[in-house]
Amino acid sequence: MSDSPADATPRRPATIRDVAALCGVTASTVSRALTTPGRVNYRTRARIEAAASELNYIPNAQAKALSSGRTRTVAVLVADITNPFYFDIIRGTQLQLKAAGYTQLLVDTEESEEVEANTLEQMRRTADGVILTASQLSDAALVAASGRMPLVTINRDMAGVPSVILDTPTATNQALDHLISLGHSRIAYLGGPESSSSNMRRWAALSTAGRERDVDVVRLGPFAPRTYSGAAAADALVHSGATAGIAFNDLMAIGMLQRLHERGVQVPEDLSIVGCDDIFGADFCSPPLTTVTAPIEQAGRVAVTMLLSQISPGVGLLQRNQEVLPTYLTVRGSTGTAPAGSPRLDR
Amino acid sequence: MSDSPADATPRRPATIRDVAALCGVTASTVSRALTTPGRVNYRTRARIEAAASELNYIPNAQAKALSSGRTRTVAVLVADITNPFYFDIIRGTQLQLKAAGYTQLLVDTEESEEVEANTLEQMRRTADGVILTASQLSDAALVAASGRMPLVTINRDMAGVPSVILDTPTATNQALDHLISLGHSRIAYLGGPESSSSNMRRWAALSTAGRERDVDVVRLGPFAPRTYSGAAAADALVHSGATAGIAFNDLMAIGMLQRLHERGVQVPEDLSIVGCDDIFGADFCSPPLTTVTAPIEQAGRVAVTMLLSQISPGVGLLQRNQEVLPTYLTVRGSTGTAPAGSPRLDR
DNA sequence: AAGCCAATGACAACCGATTGCCAAAAATTG
DNA sequence: CAATTTTTGGCAATCGGTTGTCATTGGCTT
């Protein structure tokens, strides 16, 4: 039992030459048999395939990459692996990449432009393409990078650079209407990082919509898109005198919920809160969060599809170079009718 | 501006021979200058370094891997990328791998033994080592795999295979004592997958502890370790007549909380719930979950450290081949005193 | 000044595949 | 049946590095 053929795994994995030797052909023939089906007589191919599986031959990916120039690997750069938002992205990319036989390289850029640029340069050789989330790169650098290698961004709208955009501004406006219909007339936007283009787009949409609908929409922040900055955001919101707040993302919104609970401010009785993204947890926090539901995982999947069509243009899957994914408002327990007579919330 | 030296990125990245040519030396000298510092005169090395940075030379990872046999890549296999538990693992591995200059390959095995085995065989060439979470492999297969390449498991206690174990049984017993001290005397364990070794160890510890302390500990399930199976678990718990439940993990516990809320069962007044892991969300669900806090991210980090010390044995970092990480009980709002007189919970 | 040794850089083989080109064998054609 | 075309497999170069071996150089000892 110590050496039954099934278990026997020689210490050195079989190479293409081992297979060739076993069949009495050369390595090039084996290579052709395995990669260019029609190029080799079917009888010899059968022999080769048998030998390959007998030796448990697995082509060396490195060698393959070196000679072919393709690594069958895609790098996914996330800004902050701590953020559940990116988990959904990663889930989507992983799913789609695996289906296409690609391997996923996961890199956390820690929101650093430098790390991002270096990684990108590194990956130029290591990966066949890159998916960039929340890029910190300048417009010029991004365009340049995109010219150098297949690349798709998520949530970065840049002409000439293929991208997947989660259309949160539209749904944020829906959220605004939702709040207005509940009687709110002074509403705050708890902003995220200034460098975030979705943050900017969203605020632009909200402030315009506010003017059109004749309600006060004020902007607070910027706040870090993390749970812990929810405290600052909550305090700012209370102090602002607004009766409802739309947060940059769910993380912040959940942090706000916690802080407001501590301070004894009732949600939604005293204050309504809307989040954005609908991440894991948004449905079971207390109260459950009214939020803008974004198809995050789908964004990851679509990004991969777009990227792969760049990598192998023959396969005309998805040739557009921008994909806008719709989002929608999910109403849960954190929004309610505006308090009568604008109660003094800030003690 | 279209061709300033700083921006100029030739279409073909510079190779080691380009650098060599620019310095009037051979490729081997460049290689040595860059990798074996003392091997080359410091003056020529300086010249080479200057040339390298001028040409923006980045060694080709594939070629490097091919000739050196090291890929500087580690594969992390997770059973289910959907589960927040693994996010924390991934976060830990990513952190530590990056610090060591390694790249992380992320693979979702979808809880399939076959996918796991195939990936493992594949990675034998592609990665320098593997971190295995929730492995589905048989003991024999695991030992064999571990003999073939550097490998560290997380939460799989197998003699001869280096592992990181989150010692949840100890803290689960603490949870039991906590419940007993609150007056509970009939307590259920909502089991996870039978194939999970931490599930088995935990149940073994709980049932022994229950006997020792002379309280009823019953086992329900198995249930899938997901939020959605919390409904079944909650119903089973209510029907069992126990006044407290310890769930296999937080996901299940959070699902139970939701279901119990729907059914109008008050937590913790009618029923106490304890989770396990302390994942993202455990602190802000409703009520906040009493749970066994496990240093999940640390487990990822430690696994990487152990793996790297296997890969380069010279660096005597962490030579033990099993690391048990302590966990502790975090009491939040989902546990309380036992209801008086065993109220009829099941309608 | 002869002899020796360490330092330094070049040469060439090698890692494991792919692929352009060529020659032998087989099949087709007139 | 000879001439031509197609099929099939081998040879060797190549991808971009690493590394063992060797020859040269210069410094040092005695």
Side-chain angles (χ1 to χ4, degrees):
Chain A
M1 113 173 226
S2 66
D3 213 54
S4 83
D7 290 348
T9 307
R11 58 150 63 80
R12 193 179 63 84
T15 73
I16 200 169
R17 291 171 225 278
D18 298 332
V19 178
L22 188 60
C23 293
V25 297
T26 40
S28 53
T29 306
V30 176
S31 172
R32 290 202 177 93
L34 266 27
T35 59
T36 327
R39 186 64 178 68
V40 157
N41 188 297
Y42 85 102
R43 301 186 67 83
T44 46
R45 191 178 74 204
R47 268 167 50 219
I48 289 173
E49 278 167 354
S53 81
E54 185 189 340
L55 292 180
N56 196 7
Y57 167 70
I58 296 178
N60 181 318
Q62 263 61 35
K64 215 163 175 159
L66 187 56
S67 53
S68 70
R70 317 255 75 147
T71 60
R72 293 200 75 80
T73 280
V74 164
V76 177
L77 274 63
V78 301
D80 171 21
I81 207 166
T82 275
N83 187 332
F85 176 81
Y86 295 108
F87 292 154
D88 288 323
I89 300 266
I90 294 170
R91 196 179 294 169
T93 53
Q94 160 74 36
L95 218 67
Q96 200 75 354
L97 282 172
K98 190 186 341 183
Y102 275 73
T103 303
Q104 160 162 278
L105 240 47
L106 179 63
V107 181
D108 181 0
T109 60
E110 292 166 1
E111 295 184 333
S112 145
E113 183 186 339
E114 197 193 333
V115 173
E116 187 178 338
N118 289 344
T119 308
L120 220 45
E121 196 54 35
Q122 179 73 249
M123 287 308 152
R124 191 174 160 201
R125 319 287 294 275
T126 302
D128 289 349
V130 172
I131 291 175
L132 226 50
T133 66
S135 177
Q136 303 280 319
L137 255 39
S138 69
D139 288 0
L142 185 60
V143 171
S146 167
R148 269 198 291 275
M149 72 185 298
L151 182 153
V152 173
T153 61
I154 292 181
N155 267 352
R156 170 85 176 243
D157 183 7
M158 180 76 231
V161 180
S163 57
V164 178
I165 305 285
L166 289 165
D167 179 28
T168 46
T170 302
T172 316
N173 280 357
Q174 269 186 52
L176 186 64
D177 288 339
H178 165 66
L179 290 172
I180 293 173
S181 76
L182 290 171
H184 297 270
S185 60
R186 189 164 164 77
I187 296 164
Y189 175 61
L190 293 306
E194 306 273 334
S195 65
S196 156
S197 68
S198 39
N199 182 53
M200 297 324 246
R201 280 182 290 131
R202 213 174 297 160
W203 167 245
L206 270 180
S207 58
T208 306
R211 267 194 304 279
E212 286 170 7
R213 290 154 178 79
D214 202 32
V215 295
D216 269 7
V217 181
V218 300
R219 179 187 189 179
L220 305 175
F223 303 100
R226 312 276 167 81
T227 319
Y228 63 71
S229 74
D235 289 357
L237 176 57
V238 168
H239 184 257
S240 75
T243 58
I246 300 178
F248 171 66
N249 70 3
D250 285 349
L251 240 31
M252 192 190 292
I254 289 172
M256 290 171 68
L257 254 28
Q258 289 180 295
R259 173 65 166 191
L260 294 171
H261 179 76
E262 278 171 34
R263 290 189 54 166
V265 179
Q266 301 281 318
V267 175
E269 290 76 8
D270 300 333
L271 212 45
S272 288
I273 302 289
V274 176
C276 186
D277 294 341
D278 201 8
I279 60 172
F280 173 81
D283 60 331
F284 62 73
C285 55
S286 174
L289 194 62
T290 294
T291 191
V292 170
T293 300
I296 313 178
E297 182 182 327
Q298 188 191 351
R301 290 204 309 270
V302 171
V304 167
T305 306
M306 290 175 67
L307 187 65
L308 294 184
S309 83
Q310 268 185 71
I311 292 174
S312 12
V315 195
L317 298 160
L318 189 52
Q319 292 296 1
R320 274 191 287 169
N321 70 346
Q322 178 162 118
E323 198 71 17
V324 176
L325 302 182
T327 63
Y328 50 91
L329 181 68
T330 299
V331 176
R332 297 202 184 96
S334 68
T335 47
T337 52
S342 184
R344 295 232 46 85
L345 293 173
D346 43 331
R347 16 192 82 240
Chain B
M1 110 173 229
S2 65
D3 213 55
S4 82
D7 289 349
T9 308
R11 60 149 61 81
R12 193 180 62 85
T15 73
I16 201 170
R17 293 173 221 273
D18 297 333
V19 178
L22 188 58
C23 293
V25 297
T26 41
S28 55
T29 304
V30 176
S31 172
R32 290 207 171 88
L34 265 28
T35 60
T36 324
R39 185 62 178 71
V40 157
N41 187 299
Y42 84 102
R43 300 186 68 83
T44 45
R45 192 178 73 205
R47 267 167 51 218
I48 289 173
E49 278 167 354
S53 81
E54 186 190 340
L55 292 180
N56 197 7
Y57 168 68
I58 295 178
N60 181 319
Q62 263 61 35
K64 217 162 173 159
L66 186 56
S67 53
S68 69
R70 318 255 74 149
T71 60
R72 292 200 76 80
T73 280
V74 164
V76 177
L77 273 61
V78 301
D80 171 21
I81 207 167
T82 275
N83 187 331
F85 176 81
Y86 295 109
F87 293 155
D88 287 323
I89 301 265
I90 294 169
R91 196 179 294 171
T93 53
Q94 160 73 36
L95 220 66
Q96 200 75 353
L97 283 172
K98 185 171 10 168
Y102 275 73
T103 304
Q104 160 161 279
L105 240 45
L106 179 63
V107 181
D108 182 359
T109 60
E110 291 166 2
E111 295 183 335
S112 146
E113 183 186 339
E114 197 193 332
V115 173
E116 188 178 338
N118 288 344
T119 308
L120 221 45
E121 196 53 36
Q122 178 74 250
M123 287 307 152
R124 191 172 161 204
R125 319 288 293 277
T126 303
D128 290 348
V130 172
I131 291 175
L132 226 48
T133 66
S135 177
Q136 304 279 320
L137 258 38
S138 70
D139 289 359
L142 186 58
V143 170
S146 166
R148 270 198 290 275
M149 71 185 298
L151 183 154
V152 172
T153 61
I154 292 181
N155 268 352
R156 168 85 177 243
D157 184 6
M158 178 78 232
V161 180
S163 57
V164 178
I165 305 285
L166 289 166
D167 178 27
T168 46
T170 303
T172 317
N173 280 358
Q174 270 185 53
L176 187 64
D177 288 338
H178 165 64
L179 291 171
I180 292 173
S181 76
L182 289 172
H184 296 271
S185 60
R186 188 165 166 75
I187 297 165
Y189 176 61
L190 293 306
E194 307 272 334
S195 66
S196 156
S197 66
S198 40
N199 182 52
M200 297 324 246
R201 281 182 288 131
R202 214 175 295 161
W203 167 244
L206 271 180
S207 57
T208 306
R211 267 193 303 280
E212 287 170 7
R213 290 157 178 75
D214 200 33
V215 295
D216 269 7
V217 181
V218 301
R219 180 187 188 179
L220 305 176
F223 302 101
R226 311 277 168 80
T227 319
Y228 63 70
S229 73
D235 289 356
L237 176 57
V238 168
H239 184 258
S240 74
T243 58
I246 300 179
F248 171 67
N249 70 4
D250 286 349
L251 239 30
M252 193 190 292
I254 289 172
M256 290 171 67
L257 255 27
Q258 289 179 296
R259 174 65 166 190
L260 293 172
H261 180 74
E262 278 170 34
R263 291 189 52 166
V265 179
Q266 301 280 317
V267 176
E269 290 77 8
D270 300 333
L271 211 46
S272 286
I273 303 288
V274 177
C276 186
D277 294 341
D278 201 8
I279 60 172
F280 174 81
D283 60 330
F284 64 71
C285 55
S286 175
L289 194 63
T290 293
T291 191
V292 170
T293 301
I296 313 177
E297 183 182 327
Q298 190 192 350
R301 290 204 309 269
V302 172
V304 168
T305 307
M306 289 175 65
L307 187 66
L308 294 184
S309 82
Q310 269 186 70
I311 293 174
S312 12
V315 195
L317 299 160
L318 190 50
Q319 291 296 2
R320 276 190 287 169
N321 71 346
Q322 178 161 116
E323 198 71 17
V324 177
L325 302 182
T327 63
Y328 51 91
L329 181 69
T330 299
V331 176
R332 297 202 183 97
S334 67
T335 47
T337 52
S342 186
R344 294 233 45 86
L345 293 172
D346 43 333
R347 27 187 80 239

Coordinates of all heavy atoms in Angstrom, one line a residue, chain A residues 283-314:
Chain A
D283 N -29.1 44.1 6.9 CA -30.4 43.7 7.2 C -30.7 43.2 8.6 O -31.8 43.1 9.1 CB -30.8 42.5 6.3 CG -29.8 41.3 6.4 OD1 -28.7 41.6 6.8 OD2 -30.2 40.2 6.2
F284 N -29.6 43.0 9.4 CA -29.8 42.6 10.8 C -29.3 43.5 11.8 O -29.2 43.2 13.0 CB -29.4 41.1 11.0 CG -27.9 40.9 10.8 CD1 -27.0 41.4 11.8 CD2 -27.4 40.2 9.7 CE1 -25.6 41.2 11.6 CE2 -26.0 40.0 9.6 CZ -25.1 40.5 10.5
C285 N -28.9 44.7 11.4 CA -28.5 45.7 12.5 C -29.7 46.2 13.1 O -30.8 45.9 12.7 CB -27.6 46.8 11.9 SG -28.3 47.6 10.5
S286 N -29.6 47.1 14.1 CA -30.7 47.5 14.8 C -30.9 49.0 14.8 O -30.0 49.7 15.4 CB -30.6 47.0 16.2 OG -31.7 47.5 17.0
P287 N -31.9 49.6 14.2 CA -32.9 48.8 13.4 C -32.3 48.5 12.1 O -31.3 49.1 11.7 CB -34.0 49.9 13.2 CG -33.3 51.2 13.2 CD -32.2 51.0 14.2
P288 N -32.9 47.5 11.4 CA -32.5 47.2 10.0 C -32.4 48.4 9.2 O -33.2 49.3 9.3 CB -33.5 46.2 9.5 CG -34.1 45.6 10.8 CD -34.1 46.7 11.8
L289 N -31.4 48.5 8.4 CA -31.0 49.7 7.7 C -31.7 49.9 6.4 O -31.7 49.0 5.5 CB -29.5 49.7 7.4 CG -28.8 51.0 7.0 CD1 -28.9 52.0 8.1 CD2 -27.3 50.7 6.7
T290 N -32.4 51.0 6.2 CA -32.9 51.4 4.9 C -31.6 51.8 4.1 O -30.8 52.6 4.6 CB -33.8 52.6 5.0 OG1 -35.0 52.2 5.7 CG2 -34.2 53.2 3.6
T291 N -31.5 51.3 2.9 CA -30.2 51.5 2.2 C -30.4 51.4 0.7 O -31.4 50.9 0.2 CB -29.2 50.5 2.7 OG1 -27.9 50.9 2.2 CG2 -29.5 49.1 2.3
V292 N -29.4 51.8 0.0 CA -29.4 51.7 -1.4 C -28.7 50.3 -1.7 O -27.5 50.1 -1.4 CB -28.6 52.8 -2.1 CG1 -28.3 52.5 -3.5 CG2 -29.3 54.1 -1.9
T293 N -29.5 49.4 -2.3 CA -29.0 48.1 -2.6 C -28.2 48.1 -3.9 O -28.8 48.5 -4.9 CB -30.1 47.1 -2.7 OG1 -30.8 47.1 -1.4 CG2 -29.6 45.7 -2.9
A294 N -26.9 47.7 -3.8 CA -26.1 47.7 -5.1 C -25.8 46.3 -5.4 O -25.5 45.5 -4.5 CB -24.9 48.6 -4.9
P295 N -25.8 45.9 -6.6 CA -25.4 44.5 -7.0 C -23.9 44.4 -7.0 O -23.3 44.4 -8.1 CB -26.0 44.4 -8.4 CG -26.0 45.8 -9.0 CD -26.2 46.7 -7.8
I296 N -23.3 44.4 -5.8 CA -21.8 44.5 -5.7 C -21.2 43.2 -6.3 O -20.2 43.3 -7.1 CB -21.4 44.6 -4.3 CG1 -22.3 45.6 -3.6 CG2 -20.0 44.9 -4.2 CD1 -22.0 45.8 -2.1
E297 N -21.7 42.1 -6.0 CA -21.1 40.9 -6.5 C -21.2 40.8 -8.0 O -20.2 40.5 -8.7 CB -21.8 39.6 -5.9 CG -21.2 38.3 -6.3 CD -21.9 37.1 -5.8 OE1 -22.4 37.2 -4.6 OE2 -22.0 36.1 -6.5
Q298 N -22.3 41.3 -8.5 CA -22.5 41.3 -9.9 C -21.5 42.2 -10.6 O -20.9 42.0 -11.7 CB -23.9 41.8 -10.3 CG -24.2 41.7 -11.8 CD -25.5 42.4 -12.1 OE1 -26.3 42.8 -11.2 NE2 -25.8 42.5 -13.4
A299 N -21.2 43.3 -9.9 CA -20.1 44.3 -10.4 C -18.8 43.5 -10.6 O -18.1 43.7 -11.6 CB -20.0 45.4 -9.5
G300 N -18.5 42.7 -9.6 CA -17.3 41.9 -9.8 C -17.3 41.0 -10.9 O -16.4 40.9 -11.7
R301 N -18.5 40.3 -11.1 CA -18.6 39.4 -12.2 C -18.5 40.1 -13.6 O -17.8 39.7 -14.5 CB -19.9 38.6 -12.1 CG -20.0 37.7 -10.9 CD -21.0 36.6 -11.2 NE -22.3 37.1 -11.6 CZ -23.3 37.4 -10.8 NH1 -23.1 37.2 -9.5 NH2 -24.4 37.9 -11.2
V302 N -19.2 41.2 -13.7 CA -19.2 41.9 -14.9 C -17.8 42.4 -15.3 O -17.3 42.4 -16.4 CB -20.2 43.1 -14.9 CG1 -20.1 44.0 -16.1 CG2 -21.6 42.5 -14.8
A303 N -17.1 42.9 -14.2 CA -15.8 43.4 -14.4 C -14.9 42.3 -15.0 O -14.1 42.6 -16.0 CB -15.2 43.9 -13.1
V304 N -15.0 41.1 -14.5 CA -14.2 40.0 -15.0 C -14.6 39.7 -16.5 O -13.7 39.6 -17.3 CB -14.4 38.7 -14.2 CG1 -13.9 37.5 -14.9 CG2 -13.8 38.9 -12.8
T305 N -15.9 39.7 -16.8 CA -16.3 39.5 -18.1 C -15.7 40.5 -19.1 O -15.2 40.2 -20.1 CB -17.8 39.5 -18.2 OG1 -18.3 38.6 -17.3 CG2 -18.3 39.1 -19.6
M306 N -15.8 41.7 -18.7 CA -15.2 42.8 -19.5 C -13.7 42.6 -19.7 O -13.2 42.8 -20.8 CB -15.5 44.2 -18.9 CG -17.0 44.5 -19.0 SD -17.4 46.1 -18.2 CE -16.5 47.3 -19.2
L307 N -13.1 42.3 -18.6 CA -11.6 42.1 -18.7 C -11.2 41.0 -19.6 O -10.3 41.1 -20.4 CB -11.1 41.9 -17.3 CG -9.6 41.9 -17.1 CD1 -9.0 43.2 -17.5 CD2 -9.1 41.4 -15.8
L308 N -11.9 39.9 -19.4 CA -11.6 38.7 -20.3 C -11.8 39.0 -21.7 O -11.1 38.5 -22.6 CB -12.4 37.5 -19.8 CG -12.0 37.0 -18.4 CD1 -12.8 35.7 -18.1 CD2 -10.5 36.8 -18.2
S309 N -12.8 39.8 -22.0 CA -13.0 40.1 -23.4 C -11.9 41.0 -24.0 O -11.6 41.0 -25.2 CB -14.4 40.7 -23.6 OG -14.4 42.1 -23.4
Q310 N -11.3 41.8 -23.1 CA -10.1 42.5 -23.5 C -8.9 41.6 -23.7 O -8.2 41.8 -24.6 CB -9.7 43.5 -22.4 CG -10.3 44.9 -22.5 CD -9.7 45.8 -21.4 OE1 -8.6 46.2 -21.5 NE2 -10.5 46.1 -20.4
I311 N -8.8 40.7 -22.9 CA -7.6 39.8 -22.9 C -7.7 38.9 -24.2 O -6.7 38.8 -24.9 CB -7.6 38.9 -21.6 CG1 -7.2 39.8 -20.4 CG2 -6.5 37.9 -21.8 CD1 -7.3 39.1 -19.1
S312 N -8.8 38.3 -24.4 CA -8.9 37.5 -25.7 C -10.1 38.1 -26.5 O -11.2 37.7 -26.4 CB -9.2 36.1 -25.4 OG -9.5 35.9 -24.0
P313 N -9.7 39.1 -27.3 CA -10.7 39.8 -28.1 C -11.6 39.0 -29.0 O -12.7 39.3 -29.3 CB -9.9 40.8 -28.9 CG -8.5 40.8 -28.2 CD -8.4 39.4 -27.7
G314 N -11.0 37.9 -29.4 CA -11.8 37.0 -30.3 C -13.2 36.7 -29.7 O -14.2 36.8 -30.4

